[in-house]
Amino acid sequence: MMSQRSDFDSELLRIEHLTVSFATSGGRRLVAIDDIELTLSRGSILGLVGESGCGKSVTARSILQLVKPPGRIGAASRIWLDGRDLTRLSPDELRRVRGPIAGMIFQEPSTAINPMYTVGNQISETIRAHERVSGRVARTRALELMSLVRIPAPNRRYDDFPHQMSGGMRQRVMIAIAIACHPKLLIADEPTTALDVTIQAQILELLTNLRSQLGMAILIITHDLGIVAGMADRVAIMYAGRIVEQGRTEEVLQDPKHPYTQGLLKSVPVLGMDRGARLPSIPGTVPNLIDLPPGCRFAPRCASAFEKCRIEEPRLIQLSDRGAACWLCELPTRPGTAVLG
Amino acid sequence: MSKAALAMLDAAATNAKGRGSFERLRAPALALPGLFLALLVLISVITPLVLPDAPFQQHLSEALAGPSSAHPLGTDELGRDLLSRLILGTRISFEVGFGSTAVALAIGGLLGLWSGYSENPVGAVIMRLSDVLLAFPSILLAMLVVTVMRTDLPGVIVAVALVNIPVFVRLNRALMLSQRRLEYVEAAKALGGSTSYVILRAVLPNVLAPLAVQSALAIANAVLLEAGLSFLGLGVQPPTPSLGLELQEAAAYLRQDAWFGIFPGLLLILIVLALNKLADEGARWYGRTDLKVE
Amino acid sequence: MTSPVTNVPLLEARSVYKHFPVRRGLLQRVVAKVRAVDGVDLEILPLETFGLVGESGCGKSTLGRTLVRLLEPTSGEIRFQGEAITRLQGRETKRIRRDMQFIFQDSATSLNPRKTIGEIVAEGLLIHNIGTARERHSRALEIMNRVGLGPALADRYPQECSGGQRQRVGIARALVLEPKLVIADEPVSSLDVSIQSQVLNLLVDLRQRFGLTYLFIAHNLAVVTYIADRVAVMYLGKVVELATSEDLLLNPLHPYTVSLLSAIPDVMAARRRKRVILAGEIPSPMSPPSGCHFRTRCPIAQPICAEVEPTLVSGGRGHSVACHFPGTFSG
């Protein structure tokens, strides 16, 4: 377990005041993520969890400045990666960050893998794009990477085209490309959602091993709490463009403070649960981000909402290394009421 | 925010009712060619009803005259008023254009949709036949049919329809194949829908847009084909005017009086251009409204 | 609306095969076959919820569609309420369809984009010529209400609805004909977690209210064991294990079932449990391994597994398994 010093030293990624908005054809701006903060220590795994539309993918993309118009990153946003502010870098400098410092993998390998080139070629080319090495050296390194990501018989598969490989294999190739230059951070956006359960288990195990072997930090974005339970050191839960809870994985999952987290945990069927019991579910739906209600974004669906919740939006209330954006956490301790601390 | 969610928000924000898609048509782009054609159709239908004899009356003493108050566009080699001939010729063009396309659409459409849906081997036979027909250059095929049948308006319509049928067969089969993958087709079948129900009530409403586009192009084709046939003397026979026939007549007098060949040619070009513009606009709009929500 | 609980199966499948020919060349010769369903026997009892679970290529979706004859079986026999339905044609098939309905996975493509929600829900009534237009409309609204959709939605189009709403439309559409059997193909897989539980609860409620029998197809064992009474696990076109939900969880006999259970990310058990990670990829259904289809990834495969194909053998308490060494692998 990584020590939780807040020294700048062990901090690999720090996101401050990240806001991303999109222009819509109606003329109004849609704020997809609203002033969020995240930190990630070197070599640790952070899980970013939320349902569709919560903004987690946008967050992932904006780290490497991959947000294109009509999306726009807010002026006050700061993204510190390995000591440098990515929001202030030129496109050239950014290109030198993507690859050697941070790599990214996606849900659909086809977004990152070119169907026209062999997989080995693509890995080698990634290496050569960032380092001055000969073709032969690049090929050797590519073969090593393919072994690292457990692609069997790399020599033979080097010349395969993506369509000749299965989904799980392509995902491994994408991982190989992303870590080709041994980055310090790997951003994984729903890397296993499109895969079968048994293949998913393989990929997740691979990622965990890579963390141990390479000392690489991983930011994994997913909707599946089970996945983060199995591999993440810390977890951040997103809802409607905001982070509503964060902290160490075990603590958040065993003792969630935010009603949304609590609702999520209760509504997912788990193996061996009581079959006669009704699945508690969160009523209602995610709010329309263009027309947000005043106050807490989750209040309309929250069973514990009270007056203040509908007036003022709660900020992340922090105590040591946990945080929850909920006014309930401010209430004085009453017998039976759990509170941070 | 996912692209899908954004698209949905967009859709909800910009259109609140109805089929939605039609509201994204660009009115200005459609207006010009649409109005032009509508006007033309109106004039060409009404005028011959009001002045039925004008295109046929010969004023030999005034043959090949230039524009005058009695004959705004002048006269042809037999002294017939050019303007009224032009108008009637345009109506003939439209009759062939719309008539043959309607036939081709109905027959080719149904055959194509059916062969794309049913597993019946007859479907494959239909496709091979269509391929054979498509291999012919359209003018040759039309000439062939017209020679076998007869050279007047119904004959021309049949000939041109025959040229266009394979096009619609292929298009509709392709459209059906692409729709068949979508589960709503299976759903209609699962509910108990018969083959004709699925084809006509489930799939057809979804492919109207590309069909409309193809029809506009087919009409343009038909108009040109008719003109070609008439030019070669295989279309409508004199004294019935046709834009193609007039071009042929004008060609003979080119050296003396180039004047009266200009208008049929110009009109043909404008009609075909207008139809193509409509087709373009339709295709552009269709491509855009296929925003699928994931 | 309930039928007496008997032991006469509502739906019976015997030796059902569904192979898809792969054709190449000008003459469209068959060069290979995708063996999607490779010999399946099963029985679904009235009022039970039968779960069918497996990963991609296992054939569960194909089996579901073949059972309602959306696809024609290559061979085998299917009986519904004792009546053989495999060879029915035309009007007879239409009659059967009223009693067997299908809920599709992808609500985005399974709803006709050119019809309103009201029209979609009432479509079954229209096809079978039931009632007047007004009666159909009011019945549609009634069903929509039952599945939690307000009447205002009746004039909307599918593109204007959320995923959860569309899924409910799909359910309403399937129920409007008051079927006896409903086959649900991954009905909640494409939904957000918080909507999943809403729809699952809805399916359970409807089951009780309408006396439905479900065939619930999914890849998520946690969902399936929650909602289903009995579960069949499929791998590469065959049923490898069949048991009640409880038995499957407490006493999985087939090594694939054990691995599947272990691979599921589970919030509670997370780090304590040792995971079974299967080696290799799922083989192609065009060329399944000889003998036992699972042997290439099986942690306890023996030579006999390549030679003799194991058949589904019952071990008592309705627990069947197709394996030469059942119960010997526990992860």
Side-chain angles (χ1 to χ4, degrees), chain B residues 133-158:
Chain B
L133 284 176
L134 276 174
F136 279 87
S138 26
I139 186 71
L140 275 179
L141 186 58
M143 284 165 62
L144 204 67
V145 176
V146 151
T147 337
V148 166
M149 296 194 56
R150 44 186 191 165
T151 64
D152 63 2
L153 199 56
V156 172
I157 290 183
V158 169

Side-chain angles (χ1 to χ4, degrees), chain B residues 1-38:
Chain B
M1 168 131 300
S2 72
K3 206 166 50 166
L6 201 61
M8 210 169 69
L9 276 175
D10 241 35
T14 57
N15 76 80
K17 64 185 186 306
R19 307 231 165 207
S21 10
F22 285 115
E23 282 153 24
R24 297 229 197 104
L25 277 172
R26 275 198 311 203
L30 274 183
L32 195 58
L35 276 174
F36 171 69
L37 285 172

